[in-house]
Amino acid sequence: MEQKKNNQKDIWIGTDQLSNDPAYQEISNREFTELPVTDQLTEGKALDTSSNRRDFLKYLGFGLGAATIASSCDIPVKKAIPYVVKPDEIVPGVASYYASSFVRGGDYCPVLVKTREGRPIKVEGNSLSSLTRGGTSARAQASVLSLYDTSRITGPFRIVDGRIDKPRRGMGPGWNEIDEEITGQLNSNAQIRILGNTNMSPTTDKAIADFTAQFPNTQVVMYDPVSSSALLQANEQSFGQFAVPDYHFDKARVIVSFDADFLGTWISPVEYAADYIRNRKIKDISKAEMSRHYQVENHMSLTGSNADNRILVKPSEQGAAIVALYNAIAAERGGQRVSGPSLPDTAAGKIQRMARDLLDNVGNSLVVSGSNNVGEQVLVNAINAMLDNYGRTLDFTHASQQRRGNDQDLQALIREMNNGGVDAIFIMDGANPAYDIPNADEFRSGMEQVGLKVTFTGDPNETLALCDYVTPTHHYLESWGDVMPKKGHYSLIQPTITPLFRTRQSEESLLRWAGSDQLNKEAEQPYLEYLKAHWESAIFPQQNQFATFRSFWDSTLHDGIFEMTQPEVTEYAFGGDVAQAARQVRQPSGAELEISFPESVQMGGGQYANNPWLQEMPDPINRCVWGNYLAIPVGWDGGNNFTSFKSLNQREARGEADVVEVDIIGRVQPATCVRQFGQMHGTLSLALGYGRENTGQMGRALGERVGVSVYPWLSIDENGNTQYYATVSSVSEKVDTDSMFACVQYHHTMGVKGVDPETGDTINVDEKASMAIAEGYQGGITERSIIFKANLKEVQDLAHHIEEHREEAAHLNDATLYPYEEYKEKYYSQGHHWGMHVDLNACIGCGACQVACVAENNVPIVGKDEVARHHEMTWLRIDRYFYGDYENPNVVYQPMMCQHCDNAPCENVCPVNAVNHSSEGLNQMIYNRCIGTRYCANNCPYKVRRFNWLDYTTADMFPANEYTVNDEELPFGADNLTRMVLNPDVTVRSRGVMEKCTFCVQRLQEGKLTAKRESRRLRDEDVKTACQTACPTGAIVFGDFNNQDGPLNEMLIDNPLNYLVLEEINTQTAVNYSAKINNRDEELDA
Amino acid sequence: MSAVVSPIREPLITGGKSYHDITEDICSPTEKTPNLAWVIAFIISVAFLGLFVFTVLWTVWYGIGTWNLNRTIGWGWDITNFVWWIGIGHAGTLISAILLLFRQKWRTGVNRAAEAMTIFAVICAGQFPLIHMGRIWLAFFIFPYPNTRGPLWPNFNSPLLWDVFAISTYFTVSLLFWYTGLVPDLATLRDRSKGLRRKIYNFFSFGWTGAAKHWQRFESLSLVLAGLATPLVLSVHTIVSFDFATSVIPGWHTTIFPPYFVAGAIFSGFAMVQTLMIITRKVLNLQDYITLQHIESMNKVILLTGMIVGTAYLTELFVAWYSGYIYEQYAFYNRVFGPYYWAYIGMMSCNVLSPQIFWFKKMRRSVVVTFLMSIFVNIGMWFERFVIIGTTLARDYLPSSWSYYVPTWVEIGIFLGTLGLFFTLYLIFTRVAPVVAVAEVKSILKSSGDQYTGPNAHQQAAVQKEKAAE
């Protein structure tokens, strides 16, 4: 049939239309008909799909292929080898604790070492010790990491051209080979010198004595990088005791410290802090009492930051200050007046007033000095003697051994070496005189004259490069040993792991080379036998508690310490010559600018430089990491660009700081500046212990030296003692910008007052400085409910203020649809409700808790670059706020960790429920669930959440993007040795995951399991967080709110100084703080 | 231009166009070889798109640590850009939906391009919540999918989750709305094309024949979608503002945010429409369809929303002061005078001060001024988001954690990269679809009572005159 031509030429829908089918015509005219969709559906046509069996096979094939390719990517194989024969004492998953002692030079801390599956992972304080009472220091906490340092020396080696002569392949020389070579060079007439830092071990002394028996021309020289040599010499002069007295800061109502940083670094800070704080905690405000602490110094030390009053004197005026105090006391107490240098009037007036306070507390005061000037120390002894303090606040009954170094001996040795009078020198353990003495160059030249040079150092240092052999000793966690930090206090060191490398204890090496018959060379552990033998013969007879040596030994080994009473020294006849002493004191230099070189809490004299936990622990005062920073007084305009208030925060907040060149006695070094509140005008300060050249890979930041070495700037006085201050010839204008200014907290204060140079009004300086334009918003920082603080005299007012504030906060928080009390009752009335209390009055800011937290919780190290970008990962930080006068402020430290809010802002904002709340009040972070939106961190008012910006822990599957801290070859966290320090109970977090303080939930879990095993309820005393156990002053208390009689409620109930940070925003935090009280004598500065 | 032109109501389409002219004018750009301007623009856009791909891969490979965000400032350019793009994505749907409901006929000249812009802007915005995740490969966790982890669902309390729903809904509805409008025009293109092009357009025009039934359905669907989209315009940015408003951070925790964000979004959206339309009408010769009247109308909207936004800024300051709440007071003092003062100045001058120029009719009708202003407003609105996010986070409750933030090259690269993504999509769009809604524009060629003004209109008029004379 012929088709009719369609009149619609272009478009047709189908043949129906083309053929003009009548049926189609009809339908197309009925435009508004509905298609019988339902009919089609019922016939199943709509469900007909075009996929068939072939398609299915295609998809399956592709899917399998894609999955195979994806899964064939190289995934690193991680090996875990089970025990073939399980040792008795090791139960997988259960930690064993061994008592031991952390010792490094004169640093001492009795510890319990936590081991898991045979490897030490954490140290805790030993609470049996009456010295430290369970406290620890940051250095002790970090010591466990240096056991697993990849740059440790792995065996005995020859040193050729200043480098360890390591064979390309194989092990290097054996001990026998090296022993033979060394003994071959020794003869019985050789002039042998054993050089080391303070040695507190009686058995080491014995070993050296046995060595000397074979080589009679042996002499031992001890020195300390941060020396107390003058103190020892002065005590010898004054009382015939070459020892550090036993200080009792707890018994002193007035404490005066002349530049002695006894809470941070001086001699035995953990012990002193524990004592000191006993008189500083406020239990009952109705009879609030506190000691008063004066600090005479030029820079803000940790101790100075805790002092009530600081009297600022220049370093060279310390002597004048001591003379002034001496004369003021002598005038009242009938002492011989002396003439010495005089102080500027303002400081002299303050010293007079301070003397009054001391005189009102005769027998209950304590004057200490960190000076290394014999005259000054003699005068300080005289002052204490006049104040009848001997036998009360300090004594020689338990005289301390913790500093034994004598600078004079060291200088004599250097002269002797340069004269060619030394045949052999053995450098004990970590001693590093090529770096940490003022005349290191003379030491270096002297070393060239010495025939045989052997160092026992376990990790690379500057001195090693000068030696012929390195015969590395064990890390203390691999060693046997003993310590006598004080007379009558004994402490054992026991190994907690078999030596990781081919190291040998230095005492054993000495005894072997001496061929001493005292050492049983055939024994499995020769030095253990030697140690036991010495204890049996020398120490066991001194005590009468134990009948047999075996029980004595076992008990001491178990407890870690043994303390025995000593015959009390009651007679203190001061025998010093004060007139002579006054002539010896430092003379004021009269220079415009002086600089002091304090020891830093982290680095000590430099011996801890290779420990990244310490390098990344912020300095308590300037809050900087990875380096030492030249502290410049705020407002000082020494011809430089250091303007006062305006540029205080602005540029540093961008991670930039000025670099200047400092010229001291002709040596010029660049240093990065930090503006420091509390730094005296006309003075600078720069910490010791940085600028190490020859360290392991972690002792360097991005391949460069960390900070500046100040040792070449030190001087030696006429008594041969090292002096830790200098006159600054000049400080240049800014020469460079340090764009990696790694500081975790800038100047921010709680209201430092100063006179505005523009208007002449007294204002809160930081509130102005924090603004880029305009005048600043007065009160914008100070009126925040973060820190509550007051003078002791105003403690009642403060309590009232806190009460008012808390009532107002409660009123605000009541305006909710979800009343907190009901919630608390509903969820927490059964079971536990965990909480914490932090006593700001007890916190001294030492940072032990922070390092303990890092160790316990596998918190990664991120390096200088990353800290400069504010990527630090610390779960617990210590916020430092200044308040008071801007030139001479007080400081309050606030440990800040996750507050475990019951109404947590972080919890409700997480889109994937990775943050939630436990039925015990813990704010829980589920790493697996976290996708990394960081909303929780933004919404955290306390800014305690930490994000894994990069692959810090090398936990990623692919190694290509692993993050290196210091451009190391194998990323810091990736090598199997370093990973041994990880706590297996705590997940290592991967990149892109949020993390934060968990209240050590793994410890809670462990406590619960223990309680369950013992079929009892968990007592909150059972569980202590890492920060709590590390704290030397007991500032942190963790516990259960529901335990009415527990330690937590003891701190909370009826404590009117207790408050919550930012309570008014209704976060219902679980961490309580109690207010900071100072006992500042306001009139002193008036 | 011989038609009778009312002195009050200007014609919406000028140039005396016939229906055929309209088809020709609008469809021809898709049919010709692209001109040099387009090619250059496209190469540049694709280069930036490449930068986007590179910087995103860099971020995903090395981690968010390649950005300069830090422990204090968890969001920076990423979320600033996200909110900025989302804001831009408001104008299209507003023009299509709300103006449709209000029967604003002038919208037809710009709605197609505006809607396309909306979709592309939302695509750009949608990148950021993904990219900014620390573990993007787990992004599917945010969807409430049935899983084997027990009853583990997303956190329905989290504004970020609301964002997911709000934005995906908005995107879907906007896309549907846009596509619905495209169908008749794609059919027009189909009818004009041959070969493969014809097949493709045939597929995408869904068998549109222009039957009355199709038109009836088209109208119904448009209306339904307009009804759906209208609340969405308000809800999307309201919910985005909840990201901030429901937090506890001073400077974020404000009830004013929802209306303020919506006004700001319309403000920035219209500005972006202006930027694009002024270029498009020039390059594609569409001055007769996108007339000065359009530009003026949109400028009026910009003036109004700019002042709403300005009022919000001042209200925030007032409320901060009036609240007596120290943190709030400090936060706003810090915004104005703190280290990011320049961002605040940028925001205030671009968003509040500069639009005041539109009080003058001459300025409203000046293409050059409008173009410059549209750029200003885009910059100002970017600053507004940065002020809200960056400045606020940099200094919140604890002074110990205060920080400062400048972006890295990666963050800047991602932002520039999304501009590349946006313009690449837009340039492709101008090549494949009519940038003005042909069918809809035809509907407004004649207003009621209009005379025919097409070809031979003179003749006819002359005939009529003659008749009248007789």
Side-chain angles (χ1 to χ4, degrees), chain B residues 169-343:
Chain B
T169 310
Y170 181 67
F171 181 73
T172 313
V173 171
S174 299
L175 188 68
L176 282 175
F177 203 178
W178 179 65
Y179 198 80
T180 308
L182 264 176
V183 167
D185 291 359
L186 291 176
T188 308
L189 286 177
R190 173 198 64 196
D191 296 346
R192 292 164 57 90
S193 56
K194 293 186 182 65
L196 180 66
R197 249 176 90 79
R198 188 181 178 90
K199 280 188 177 151
I200 294 169
Y201 283 118
N202 190 27
F203 176 80
F204 284 109
S205 56
F206 292 171
W208 178 273
T209 58
K213 185 65 192 172
H214 289 178
W215 282 112
Q216 188 252 349
R217 285 181 179 149
F218 175 82
E219 292 292 339
S220 312
L221 183 58
S222 296
L223 211 61
V224 169
L225 286 174
L228 276 175
T230 304
L232 284 178
V233 173
L234 302 177
S235 77
V236 175
H237 230 55
T238 299
I239 286 171
V240 168
S241 81
F242 285 168
D243 286 350
F244 309 105
T246 63
S247 78
V248 296
I249 302 301
W252 281 11
H253 183 77
T254 40
T255 47
I256 198 177
F257 265 10
Y260 157 23
F261 267 54
V262 171
I266 295 166
F267 184 53
S268 67
F270 270 82
M272 194 56 140
V273 172
Q274 294 278 41
T275 314
L276 288 179
M277 295 320 296
I278 286 173
I279 298 173
T280 310
R281 75 195 277 271
K282 177 85 187 157
V283 174
L284 301 184
N285 241 334
L286 296 173
Q287 284 97 330
D288 289 331
Y289 304 95
I290 304 161
T291 62
L292 281 178
Q293 199 198 342
H294 287 99
I295 291 172
E296 188 185 1
S297 301
M298 288 197 283
N299 281 341
K300 283 178 184 167
V301 176
I302 286 177
L303 179 61
L304 173 71
T305 49
M307 289 201 303
I308 295 175
V309 169
T311 310
Y313 298 158
L314 298 179
T315 310
E316 279 189 317
L317 294 180
F318 170 78
V319 169
W321 168 75
Y322 188 65
S323 69
Y325 189 55
I326 194 84
Y327 309 104
E328 190 85 359
Q329 288 177 337
Y330 187 88
F332 282 92
Y333 197 93
N334 181 50
R335 257 184 204 182
V336 186
F337 300 119
Y340 284 111
Y341 71 95
W342 45 268

Side-chain angles (χ1 to χ4, degrees), chain A residues 934-1001:
Chain A
R934 302 184 297 288
Y935 196 177
C936 52
N938 288 338
N939 208 22
C940 174
Y942 308 95
K943 289 289 172 277
V944 291
R945 303 182 70 89
R946 296 286 179 259
F947 185 67
N948 284 273
W949 300 99
L950 297 167
D951 185 18
Y952 299 126
T953 55
T954 67
D956 266 15
M957 191 190 264
F958 304 106
N961 61 354
E962 275 175 358
Y963 169 78
T964 54
V965 176
N966 281 339
D967 283 345
E968 60 272 15
E969 250 170 61
L970 189 59
F972 169 65
D975 58 90
N976 285 335
L977 184 64
T978 316
R979 293 186 87 82
M980 283 171 75
V981 82
L982 295 176
N983 182 355
D985 289 332
V986 179
T987 314
V988 174
R989 284 78 59 185
S990 66
R991 170 166 71 94
V993 168
M994 194 62 76
E995 59 184 67
K996 58 153 198 91
C997 161
T998 62
F999 269 174
C1000 286
V1001 66

